[in-house]
């Protein structure tokens, strides 16, 4: 086991290019995305500071990125105002700029309009 762990012990990143630690040996102040999440935190746009490496019997060589806890941000709670803003943004993306109908799907950026407008005719309403 000791030899196994040593293989992934590379705090300077000399071997792997990124500071690397064996599974369960992450230094203080670094957490995986899942560990941050459990604390109500998220990486917040920072690049991984280091990585964990371990050999999984089932899935082979595994890597998990480690983020600095002091640079992590709190997960923003979903407030009613934020929920409304998100819903409005999604509605805008579903609304065709030509016929102004909420199509129930996101309008294709490539077409620029809903499918009936892009096709040049309106389908008979079935809903
Ligand atoms: Zn349309």
């Amino acid at each position: 086991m000791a030899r196994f762990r040593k293989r992934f012990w590379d705090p300077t990143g000399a071997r792997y290019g990124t500071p690397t630690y064996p599974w369960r040996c992450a230094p203080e102040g670094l957490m995986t995305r899942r560990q941050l999440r459990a604390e109500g935190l998220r990486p917040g746009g920072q690049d991984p500071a280091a990585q964990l490496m371990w050999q999984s019997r089932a899935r082979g060589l595994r890597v998990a990125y480690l983020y600095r806890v002091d640079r992590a941000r709190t997960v923003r709670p979903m407030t009613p105002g934020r929920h409304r803003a998100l819903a409005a943004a999604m509605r805008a993306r579903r609304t065709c700029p030509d016929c102004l109908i909420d199509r129930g799907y996101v309008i294709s950026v490539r077409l620029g309009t809903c499918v009936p407008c892009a096709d040049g005719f309106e389908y008979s309403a079935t809903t």
Side-chain angles (χ1 to χ4, degrees):
M1 191 62 193
R3 231 179 74 213
F4 213 65
R5 295 206 151 200
K6 201 170 175 186
R7 181 178 155 201
F8 299 129
W9 183 260
D10 182 24
T12 62
R15 199 178 327 162
Y16 294 109
T18 299
T20 301
Y21 302 91
W23 183 242
R24 293 187 200 282
C25 294
E28 189 81 17
L30 292 179
M31 283 188 179
T32 63
R33 188 179 287 270
R34 186 177 294 187
Q35 287 168 335
L36 286 174
R37 188 76 204 187
E39 303 290 329
L41 299 169
R42 60 193 171 88
Q46 65 172 301
D47 290 325
Q51 60 189 5
L52 286 176
M53 259 193 197
W54 71 100
Q55 188 74 40
S56 161
R57 197 177 292 192
R59 303 175 74 182
L61 187 64
R62 305 285 292 157
V63 174
Y65 293 124
L66 289 166
Y67 299 91
R68 287 178 52 164
V69 177
D70 61 349
R71 284 193 191 166
R73 308 250 178 88
T74 54
V75 175
R76 281 181 298 170
M78 191 57 101
T79 62
R82 203 168 153 242
H83 192 83
R84 268 197 304 278
L86 201 67
M90 283 312 295
R91 193 161 53 244
R93 291 180 64 194
R94 293 192 311 257
T95 302
C96 171
D98 275 13
C99 61
L100 302 179
I101 294 173
D102 181 343
R103 289 294 175 181
Y105 56 83
V106 174
I107 300 300
S108 158
V109 173
R110 188 172 56 82
L111 294 176
T113 64
C114 66
V115 174
C117 285
D119 284 355
F121 66 93
E122 177 66 272
Y123 295 107
S124 55
T126 52
T127 50

